Amino acid sequence: MPTFNATDYRGTAAENYERFFVPAIGAPLAADLVSIAALNPGERVLDVACGTGVVTRLAAKAVGATGAVAGLDVNPGMLAVARSATPNGLHIDWYETSAEAMPLADASFDVVLCQMGLQFVPDKVKALKELRRVLAPGGRVLLNLPGPTPELFVVLRDALARHIDPQCAGFVDVVFALHDGARIGALMVEAGFLNPVIEKTRRTLRLPQPDDFLWQYVHSTPLAAPVAQATDAQRAALVREVNQRWRAFSSGDAMALDVGVTTVRAVA
């Protein structure tokens, strides 16, 4: 049975997020979002709640040298990794600030993107109003949001709550909390966007085997601290339950994550 070994995850949560979460989940969904955005050379693009910059970098490549791209996030650790992961020759402006109070000029972007971030923002309408404010007339906003909670993550949520700390379930719940089309549409309209287009799709993503993905996900998220503070017996119980129940999603050397994705498009 695999055991908890902190030396396997020496990096910060942000570094582990870029190392583990982005390749398995973040990058495929980022490619989908940027493809739907159909960015044009020369456009000005803002990536809100950019994290370690996977969407931002794709956007910068799409708009080319004549375009302008910025990434914005409230987490300095995420931005530090985003800067270090940006290839030479790819210019991106980075802003450490909340989505509810952007230090950016009115009508300064043609496109605003936000991947899997709005669910974490405390004042969603205020943030959406800011997105609209920085968009030029006729500019477009595109967001994606995961949910409802996939069965694979229900297993993880329940096992964490049972064996580590009931509060751990709260983080998993928030990740998948904003997916109802009617609610999202109402938020967009309240923020001033007219006729938002909301589409629901499903995406099957390839994840590592249970032994690996459990610790990769934990150490890429705020779950790392409570799991590290647990006892060896608690962590062993977590591993036993998750490994047993995740076998249903395993095939060969990978697991399949079937996740719903809500994509929102609107014009300023």
Side-chain angles (χ1 to χ4, degrees), residues 187-234:
L187 291 171
M188 296 291 289
V189 170
E190 186 175 352
F193 290 102
L194 301 178
N195 303 316
V197 176
I198 299 171
E199 298 178 339
K200 287 185 169 291
T201 58
R202 299 207 69 81
R203 192 71 154 82
T204 300
L205 303 174
R206 180 184 172 90
L207 304 182
Q209 277 283 26
D211 293 354
D212 295 321
F213 184 69
L214 170 60
W215 296 124
Q216 290 179 10
Y217 187 78
V218 164
H219 285 275
S220 300
T221 67
L223 296 168
V227 172
Q229 293 163 6
T231 66
D232 288 342
Q234 286 175 299

Side-chain angles (χ1 to χ4, degrees), residues 124-141 143 183-197 264-268:
K124 295 171 178 54
V125 171
K126 188 174 182 180
L128 290 170
K129 285 181 177 179
E130 281 288 271
L131 268 61
R132 185 170 177 269
R133 179 185 65 80
V134 300
L135 274 173
R140 58 201 191 276
V141 61
L143 309 91
R183 182 188 174 200
I184 297 168
L187 291 171
M188 296 291 289
V189 170
E190 186 175 352
F193 290 102
L194 301 178
N195 303 316
V197 176
V264 186
R265 293 177 290 161
V267 176

Side-chain angles (χ1 to χ4, degrees), residues 31-206:
D32 292 347
L33 183 65
V34 173
S35 176
I36 294 168
L39 301 176
N40 299 307
E43 286 192 306
R44 301 166 298 170
V45 182
L46 173 65
D47 180 19
V48 175
C50 66
T52 57
V54 59
V55 169
T56 330
R57 293 189 293 273
L58 290 175
K61 293 175 182 176
V63 301
T66 59
V69 175
L72 180 152
D73 202 282
V74 73
N75 187 316
M78 288 288 196
L79 289 176
V81 174
R83 290 186 181 96
S84 66
T86 301
N88 292 332
L90 201 63
H91 178 74
I92 298 171
D93 294 317
W94 304 102
Y95 296 92
E96 181 187 331
T97 185
S98 73
E100 296 106 320
M102 302 182 194
L104 303 168
D106 294 357
S108 52
F109 294 94
D110 304 303
V111 184
V112 174
L113 306 173
C114 181
Q115 165 152 298
M116 296 189 293
L118 186 61
Q119 69 269 43
F120 295 107
V121 177
D123 192 333
K124 295 171 178 54
V125 171
K126 188 174 182 180
L128 290 170
K129 285 181 177 179
E130 281 288 271
L131 268 61
R132 185 170 177 269
R133 179 185 65 80
V134 300
L135 274 173
R140 58 201 191 276
V141 61
L142 295 97
L143 309 91
N144 67 9
L145 294 151
T149 308
E151 185 59 32
L152 186 148
F153 277 92
V154 171
V155 169
L156 178 60
R157 179 195 67 196
D158 293 350
L160 285 164
R162 186 162 25 251
H163 302 298
I164 305 297
D165 187 333
Q167 292 186 358
C168 289
F171 172 77
V172 178
D173 287 337
V174 170
V175 171
F176 300 101
L178 187 60
H179 59 84
D180 179 75
R183 182 188 174 200
I184 297 168
L187 291 171
M188 296 291 289
V189 170
E190 186 175 352
F193 290 102
L194 301 178
N195 303 316
V197 176
I198 299 171
E199 298 178 339
K200 287 185 169 291
T201 58
R202 299 207 69 81
R203 192 71 154 82
T204 300
L205 303 174
R206 180 184 172 90

